[in-house]
Amino acid sequence: MNGTDAWGFATRGAADTTPGNGAADPPAAHIDTYEPRRTARAALTRILEPGDETAGRWLRQLGPEALWSALCGDTDPPQGATPDKIAGLTLRAARADPAADLAAVAALGGRFIIPGDQEWPGQLDDLGDARPIGLWVRGPANLRFWALRSVAVVGARACTEYGAHLAATLGAGLAERGWAVVSGAAYGVDGAAHRGALAADGATLAVLASGVDYAYPRGHTELLGRIGEQGLLAAELPPGAHPTRSRFIQRNRVIAALTRGTVVVEAELRSGSLVTARRAAALGRFTMGMPGPVTSGLSAGVHQLLRGEAVLVTDADEVIELVGSIGDLGPHRHGPTLARDLLDPTAARVLEALPARGGADAAHLARESGTPRDIARSKLVELQSLGFVQRCGGRWELARRAETAEGSRRGGT
């Protein structure tokens, strides 16, 4: 059946859904027939920078094979292309070897997926001309299925122990409830979120700003290896490509578009995590933040988001309540119920009228509580049976057991 599902994912036989694309990518059922198109897109990931909207417009207008041919100098350059830009891209095109890149990712047990494939997450099409040309993927799971129930967890690289604990706990909580945890495999919050999901034997996806065979940061080589085996690694760049500052920034748009919502755990006022969150909001995704100490600069960016752009969340249940389906409600939270909370209003007024020290007779308590004398007496007997008060001759006072259990009765009021 052709078409898209409820969240814009391409179903079997669905074509390239880029707005205005006259040269649609092939149906997934006919990938072998259209391998030249896959090869061309693989070559373009080596030539074009991620998120280049000008190049994305060329790709939409010409299709991947014609654009590759134009950048190789075999045909006229795309309309509106400056000579300097074409010259730079032609130099890259001269050393592009898509067959070698496809063989390299296959040797890693990976694959290169493109729009039109059954595994392509259709929500990436929301990026318009900034949509990825394709994604190089390592890992056993289906990217499209995981993205159906995915949440991005991002935050500071130099996070505090508090931030790392929150991220790991959130990652584990989401994974235990069947949600995929998406992040960027960086130090700090990213790594903690991935580890939390892995520790819960859950799903986690790392979106990289390099090739899927390039471990960055180096200190996360082992973590990336575990994600590649148990989860998924995805990248716009071909094997061997290294990260740059601009590629990190562009990687954030993929994280934002791929998931149902983004949670920020610790971020300074100037932070790439805030870029991800705001991009998610612009795409119509849920944006959330976990608060921290107001004295911490690492929480200042999150607090700024929470002032108007994001929803405050404190755990996985609250995140799922926001991004999940109807019925995914978080538990109702309330403080502990004390025995005196169960008293009827009249009994509670009589109990409140008792002095903290010493005692009082029934007439005084009736007057202080605004209760008729006979009713006040009956409530005092009721309170005595419940262990709240005791009788000393003609006077009533608080029972010692009640005082011990409840501490200061009036709480300073």
Side-chain angles (χ1 to χ4, degrees), residues 184 207-211 216 234-237 241-244 247-249 251:
V207 181
L208 308 180
S210 61
Y216 187 90
E236 295 182 78
L237 294 157
H242 61 84
T244 63
R247 290 171 177 176
F248 281 120
I249 295 172
R251 181 269 307 275

Side-chain angles (χ1 to χ4, degrees), residues 3 27 44 55 69 77 95 145-146 183 185 198 217 243-244 248 312 333 376 389 393 410:
L44 291 173
S69 179
R95 55 188 180 85
F145 290 158
W146 274 19
S183 199
L198 291 170
T244 63
F248 281 120
L312 187 151
R333 292 179 169 86
V389 302
R410 300 182 184 274

